[in-house]
């Protein structure tokens, strides 16, 4: 069975997200750790977290994925932005321990003209400061589209971040289908070639999650605008190959398409319908 969920609002806590996920046939979900624009996080209610853990165990949920706020930039030029990013991510990782053993995804950041090399250096510096040997959370670098000065649109860049991080057994990669296609990896016509390249450059074992999104833009546009599944340039046939690929089909999939809850439910059913059972 395809393990799939969608992005949900965490404004009402973990149990609320569990119930919403279950109501649309999902068995996982993604959420922002706090307001996507950053700022203070709501207190976590330990009883709510405990209830959610039990619910997820009983309902065969797989790992849930927390997403860092968009406003963070680990490789910003201004030191106060980097400090804010570091403090926010460190606090997020502490909060993740209320629901141990899950995953935390972040955008490597934008080097804002400092250059890719400097960007990678600042990102690894931050990871080396916040990762702890005791943490149970796997931190995921998201593949980016290469919009503006984004770091992480080439697999080589993600590899260099991983190589520069001491506790890199805590690191994995989240592949966003919209971002890699916009970024110039042709998962429509050459999925096999792209996954071979991922394996050669990063190692397929690092791939821990898929953001499954169609894109409003043509191939290699470096734009990053998500579209509903089957309504964009990636198209339904390519998604059929993605959810059935032996290297991908057992990973958790998270939808970030422009949808309300009922639309997400329809996309989950659509994608599950594409799966060929062995
Ligand atoms: Fe993201
Ligand atoms: Fe994404
Ligand atoms: Zn995106």
């Amino acid at each position: 069975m395809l393990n799939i969920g969608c992005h949900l609002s965490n404004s009402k806590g973990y149990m609320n997200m569990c119930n919403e996920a279950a109501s649309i046939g999902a068995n996982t979900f993604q959420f922002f750790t706090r307001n996507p624009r950053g700022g203070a996080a709501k207190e976590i209610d330990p009883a709510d977290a405990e209830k959610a853990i039990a619910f997820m165990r009983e309902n065969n949920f797989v790992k849930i994925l927390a997403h860092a706020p968009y406003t963070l930039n680990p490789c910003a030029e201004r030191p106060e932005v980097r400090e804010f990013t570091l403090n926010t991510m460190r606090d997020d990782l502490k909060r993740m321990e209320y629901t141990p053993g899950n995953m935390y995804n972040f955008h490597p950041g934008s080097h804002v003209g400092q250059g890719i090399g400097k960007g990678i250096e600042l990102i690894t510096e931050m990871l080396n400061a916040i990762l702890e040997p005791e943490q149970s959370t796997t931190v995921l670098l998201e593949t980016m589209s290469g919009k503006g000065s984004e770091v992480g649109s080439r697999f080589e860049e993600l590899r260099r971040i991983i190589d520069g991080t001491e506790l890199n057994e805590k690191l994995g990669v989240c592949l966003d289908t919209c971002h890699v296609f916009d970024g110039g990896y042709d998962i429509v016509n050459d999925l096999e070639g792209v996954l071979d390249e991922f394996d050669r450059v990063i190692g397929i074992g690092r791939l821990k999650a898929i953001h499954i999104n169609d894109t409003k833009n043509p191939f290699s546009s470096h734009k990053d605008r998500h579209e509903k599944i089957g309504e964009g340039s990636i198209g339904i046939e390519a998604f059929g190959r993605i959810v059935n690929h032996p290297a991908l089909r057992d990973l958790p999939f998270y939808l970030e398409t422009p949808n309300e809850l009922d639309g997400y439910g329809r996309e989950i059913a659509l994608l599950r319908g594409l799966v060929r059972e062995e």
Side-chain angles (χ1 to χ4, degrees):
M1 190 191 68
L2 192 65
N3 294 310
I4 184 166
C6 64
H7 188 90
L8 295 172
S9 160
N10 88 345
S11 62
K12 294 184 187 137
Y14 286 109
M15 251 334 280
N16 187 258
M17 291 190 284
C18 286
N19 287 326
E20 283 191 345
S23 78
I24 55 168
N27 69 330
T28 184
F29 56 90
Q30 174 178 268
F31 60 100
F32 284 123
T33 52
R34 58 189 76 213
N35 184 309
R37 297 179 174 283
K42 201 160 61 70
E43 278 301 314
I44 288 180
D45 170 8
D48 176 52
E50 284 303 318
K51 262 191 253 170
I53 290 167
F55 180 94
M56 292 193 283
R57 197 186 312 119
E58 283 154 25
N59 291 278
N60 300 313
F61 273 48
V62 295
K63 286 178 197 294
I64 54 173
L65 181 56
H67 195 305
Y70 285 145
T71 41
L72 303 185
N73 186 3
C75 55
E77 188 167 22
R78 288 166 53 208
E80 57 273 30
V81 177
R82 294 202 302 273
E83 196 188 326
F84 172 74
T85 298
L86 185 147
N87 290 334
T88 302
M89 287 184 59
R90 181 179 275 157
D91 185 52
D92 278 351
L93 288 176
K94 212 167 71 196
R95 294 153 52 84
M96 289 293 290
E97 294 299 323
Y98 283 96
T99 52
N102 288 298
M103 303 186 291
Y104 178 74
N105 174 74
F106 77 103
H107 296 176
S110 296
H111 65 70
V112 288
Q114 302 172 93
I116 288 280
K118 183 68 184 173
I120 289 171
E121 186 188 313
L122 291 170
I123 296 159
T124 54
E125 214 172 89
M126 191 208 55
L127 287 168
N128 283 326
I130 64 171
L131 297 180
E132 300 283 354
E134 314 77 54
Q135 75 179 59
S136 68
T137 303
T138 303
V139 174
L140 305 185
L141 308 164
E142 182 167 354
T143 60
M144 303 310 293
S145 67
K147 172 169 47 93
S149 64
E150 273 176 352
V151 180
S153 68
R154 303 298 309 166
F155 296 158
E156 287 80 3
E157 295 165 16
L158 299 176
R159 174 59 194 258
R160 283 165 66 190
I161 296 170
I162 293 167
D163 282 346
T165 304
E166 282 158 45
L167 283 175
N168 68 25
E169 69 269 24
K170 306 290 182 189
L171 289 183
V173 173
C174 174
L175 186 145
D176 186 310
T177 56
C178 165
H179 296 178
V180 292
F181 188 73
D182 282 15
Y185 290 101
D186 193 354
I187 53 172
V188 173
N189 297 300
D190 188 20
L191 178 62
E192 208 56 52
V194 172
L195 292 175
D196 280 350
E197 189 169 343
F198 187 103
D199 188 39
R200 186 169 48 74
V201 176
I202 303 178
I204 203 77
R206 291 278 181 189
L207 184 56
K208 303 294 183 194
I210 307 287
H211 280 164
I212 187 161
N213 305 307
D214 213 326
T215 172
K216 287 190 196 294
N217 295 107
F219 177 61
S220 203
S221 62
H222 303 286
K223 282 263 177 54
D224 186 7
R225 283 170 70 227
H226 302 188
E227 180 55 285
K228 292 188 171 75
I229 298 296
E231 295 184 20
S233 318
I234 296 179
I236 199 68
E237 280 157 34
F239 285 113
R241 291 189 288 273
I242 288 167
V243 296
N244 284 293
H245 194 283
L248 307 180
R249 65 185 174 205
D250 295 324
L251 293 171
F253 290 81
Y254 306 87
L255 288 158
E256 303 174 307
T257 46
N259 273 303
E260 303 293 327
L261 196 59
D262 56 341
Y264 279 131
R266 285 193 294 276
E267 289 192 344
I268 288 169
L270 172 69
L271 289 165
R272 286 226 172 102
L274 299 175
V275 174
R276 293 184 304 270
E277 296 297 341
E278 305 272 295

